[in-house]
Amino acid sequence: MGDPVIAHEGPDAGVPHHYGDPLREQRWLEAGQARVDLSHRPVFAVTGPDRLAWLHALTSQRFEGLAPGVWTTAFVLDPAGHIEHVLGGVDDGATFLATTEPGHLDALLAWLGRMVFASRVELADASATHAMVLADGPRIVERPALAATLGERRAGTWAAEALRIAAGQPRVFVDTDARTIPNEVAVPDGDALGAAVHLQKGCYRGQETVARVHTLGRPPRRLTLLHLDGSEERLPAVGADVLLGERVVGRMGGSAFHHELGPIGLALVKRGTPIDASLTVEGVPAAQEVVVDPEVGLHVRPNLR
């Protein structure tokens, strides 16, 4: 393992972007042989006897009956069904330890704090005592155990992002914008809509939109994997316009150089955009690979992870 190259900008600033060989690190990570330092991500704790019922009522996920040690992800939606917050974590029988995206903890805790009312729930920022690690899945560990948990073979966030994008897994606030609804970026699978939405749970804010689009199909936009022209040797910026000819048809999300696929990225593209059309992003030609079906939201691409 080489010396870490620390990212200085973007949502993963402050942790290793790579350790000298990002493509090899991707292969290690893909094989389950490396771990990723995500200690820049904020961590918070939800305690109290009502914590799971309270989270169940507020979010898109089913928390009632959640077994200790099982990682779960949830959205907080606005009344129109747009994704406003994201959280993921694990309960230990007494505390639900969770993480969210860098730079978004204060807003999430402020909103959750306004929703406590008479519930027996307490919220606390646990970022100083706990850290996030990607180690055969997401884990939250006590900070003194971070180095031991990461071990000797590590991969940077470049590797983690490249595999995430190749698998068609959206990252909130990177691959989404203020208008994104879960149906545009998530795939129906039984009672679930992606990893963060349970389709058969009780009411929560924004549920009507999710249920209506799930029933009728045809979300306004669709998550798409873009195969970018490698001859350009550059990646588009997050939020850049995706063009069909001279017409804006989408928004660019995250992108990375993948060890097998080359330069790839995720984009939200208008549903009516032909799936075989060649697109451009900041002058870079891009071919589409469907992640979310434009008509009914069915996943047509196998999960690579």
Side-chain angles (χ1 to χ4, degrees), residues 121-185:
V121 169
E122 293 183 4
L123 301 165
D125 184 347
S127 303
T129 57
H130 291 76
M132 179 79 175
V133 177
L134 190 62
D136 297 321
R139 293 173 59 182
I140 296 174
V141 301
E142 294 183 355
R143 282 199 174 267
L146 177 60
T149 302
L150 287 169
E152 292 299 318
R153 180 171 284 187
R154 305 179 186 184
T157 56
W158 176 338
E161 284 294 279
L163 297 189
R164 176 189 69 79
I165 291 167
Q169 297 173 347
R171 182 173 178 180
V172 175
F173 307 124
V174 174
D175 304 311
T176 69
D177 58 18
R179 298 184 293 117
T180 304
I181 62 174
N183 314 71
E184 295 176 322
V185 296

Side-chain angles (χ1 to χ4, degrees), residues 4 13 26 37 72 109 111 117-118 125 134 136 145 147 163 184 199 219 224 227 237 274 302:
Q26 289 179 37
D37 182 351
T72 192
L109 287 183
W111 187 85
F117 302 117
D125 184 347
L134 190 62
D136 297 321
L163 297 189
E184 295 176 322
L199 292 168
T224 302
H227 293 268

Side-chain angles (χ1 to χ4, degrees), residues 1 8 94 132 145 170 214 221:
M1 184 176 68
H8 296 291
M132 179 79 175
H214 176 66
R221 298 177 295 178

Side-chain angles (χ1 to χ4, degrees), residues 6-7 46 74 110 120 126 144 153 216 247-248 266-267 284 287 303:
I6 306 298
V46 186
R120 295 171 297 171
R153 180 171 284 187
L216 299 178
R247 180 165 59 94
V248 176
L266 290 175
V284 178
N303 194 325

Side-chain angles (χ1 to χ4, degrees), residues 177 179 220-222 226 239-252 267-274 277-283 288:
D177 58 18
R179 298 184 293 117
R221 298 177 295 178
R222 54 184 173 85
L226 297 183
D241 289 339
V242 177
L243 302 178
L244 175 59
E246 297 182 355
R247 180 165 59 94
V248 176
V249 295
R251 174 196 182 273
M252 189 68 199
L268 277 172
V269 177
K270 290 181 180 179
R271 181 182 58 80
T273 304
S278 179
L279 308 176
T280 59
V281 193
E282 294 186 332
Q288 301 177 70

